């Protein structure tokens, strides 16, 4: 509670811009989440008023094993913390703990055309990969995402390229609502990080590394052990030739160079000269060790936090309460404007 006051009372905070982002707890997080999202989220904490969410309601648009969904939710919180998300600076919460997300999503559904949802690339893709379960939730996934964002009057939304279309819909819905009634929602802007390296699958380096890939050898997880990481890198697919260089016809080596760059901070020219005249074997060993060194402290913190359920629950309780405080204000405005009868006044 004390934190909420300090957050809302200070001048700087009221002038700070708001950020909201989320990750679905639908699998273990990978090194791609670390360099593509979490590293960036951590940097934003000092400058912005950040809301970092675990999008469990989005995860159930495809079938989940209940016990796994529960444990992955807690693991995702532990990983956020291990990567440096600081609950004293940012609000960290689970989407389903704040009922306003579902409530605003329903209202937004009533302002969204069928055509707007059916043209979404992700809906079309997921309808192909989950043919047996093309449900209404999957269809209206982007209106729930719009609710996530608009409830907090977010200025900026850090997302990957694949979510830009959903963000565009959020903007359209906000504008539509503001135009129909009166100014209610801030129009959010996408925030695509300048240097967000794309990490590819280890066995099929022309495909993005994905947490939902069935072949675990393709993926470096944030909680992999040192041996697992070194082995996965050692067995990764490389290209013909023997040179270590960034090139379109060398997707395997280029991907390992990206990993090495993330783990060591060395740029590609430095990496090329470090390994000139050396073979793939030496390079792979160096990459494996560097990535293992990079992941190790995060993994250790992750294991410590993951076992402290009481601490995680306390953080989530406070996060839900802070989030609810902001979200409920927006939702009341919306209900009032559209004419839902209220008992309060
Ligand atoms: N759909 C996002 C993804 O899969 C996760 C997400 C849910 C999200 N709600 C959000 C991201 C709101 C940004 C803002 O990556």
């Amino acid at each position: 509670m004390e934190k909420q006051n300090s957050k809302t009372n200070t001048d700087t905070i009221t002038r700070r811009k708001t950020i909201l982002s989320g990750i679905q707890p639908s699998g273990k997080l990978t090194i791609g989440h670390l360099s593509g999202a979490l590293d960036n989220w951590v940097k934003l904490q000092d400058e912005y008023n950040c809301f970092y969410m675990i999008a469990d309601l989005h995860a159930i648009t495809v079938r989940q094993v209940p016990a796994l969904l529960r444990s992955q939710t807690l693991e995702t919180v532990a990983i956020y913390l291990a990567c440096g998300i600081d609950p004293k600076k940012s609000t960290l919460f689970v989407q389903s703990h704040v009922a306003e997300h579902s409530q605003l999503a329903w209202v937004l559904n009533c302002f969204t055309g069928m055509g707007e949802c059916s043209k979404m690339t992700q809906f079309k893709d997921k309808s192909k990969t989950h043919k047996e379960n093309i449900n209404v939730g999957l269809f209206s996934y982007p209106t729930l995402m719009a609710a996530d964002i608009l409830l907090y009057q977010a200025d900026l939304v850090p997302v990957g390229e694949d979510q830009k279309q959903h963000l565009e819909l959020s903007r359209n819905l906000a504008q539509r609502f503001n135009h129909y009634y009166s100014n209610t929602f801030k129009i959010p802007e996408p925030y695509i990080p300048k240097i967000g390296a794309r990490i590819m699958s280890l066995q099929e380096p022309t495909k993005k590394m994905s947490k939902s890939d069935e072949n675990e050898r393709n993926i470096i997880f944030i909680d992999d052990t040192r041996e697992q990481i070194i082995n996965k890198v050692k067995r990764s697919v490389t290209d013909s030739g023997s040179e270590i260089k960034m090139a379109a016809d060398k997707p395997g080596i280029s991907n390992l160079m990206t990993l090495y760059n993330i783990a060591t901070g060395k740029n590609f020219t430095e990496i090329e000269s470090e390994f000139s005249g050396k073979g793939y074997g030496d390079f792979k060993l160096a990459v494996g060790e560097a990535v293992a060194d990079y992941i190790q402290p995060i993994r250790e913190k992750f294991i410590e936090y993951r076992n402290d359920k009481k601490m995680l629950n306390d953080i989530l309780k406070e996060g839900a309460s802070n989030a609810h405080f902001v979200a409920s204000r927006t939702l009341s405005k919306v209900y009032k404007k559209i004419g839902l009868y209220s008992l309060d006044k």
Side-chain angles (χ1 to χ4, degrees), residues 143-179:
T143 58
L144 177 60
M145 187 160 152
D148 299 338
I149 298 166
L150 302 182
L151 278 173
Y152 301 92
Q153 308 289 351
D155 297 274
L156 292 177
V157 184
V159 281
E161 278 295 324
D162 62 332
Q163 298 296 316
K164 253 176 102 175
Q165 204 184 14
H166 292 159
L167 199 67
E168 198 49 45
L169 180 71
S170 308
R171 289 167 54 84
N172 289 340
L173 291 176
Q175 274 156 348
R176 187 171 306 162
F177 195 97
N178 289 351
H179 184 72

Side-chain angles (χ1 to χ4, degrees), residues 187-216:
I187 314 296
E189 299 283 340
Y191 182 93
I192 315 262
K194 283 179 215 97
I195 31 148
R198 220 169 119 84
I199 299 179
M200 312 305 276
S201 151
L202 293 178
Q203 299 292 324
E204 295 166 75
T206 50
K207 252 181 33 185
K208 196 176 151 191
M209 185 184 284
S210 157
K211 66 176 181 232
S212 41
D213 195 318
E214 272 161 26
N215 184 358
E216 299 217 334

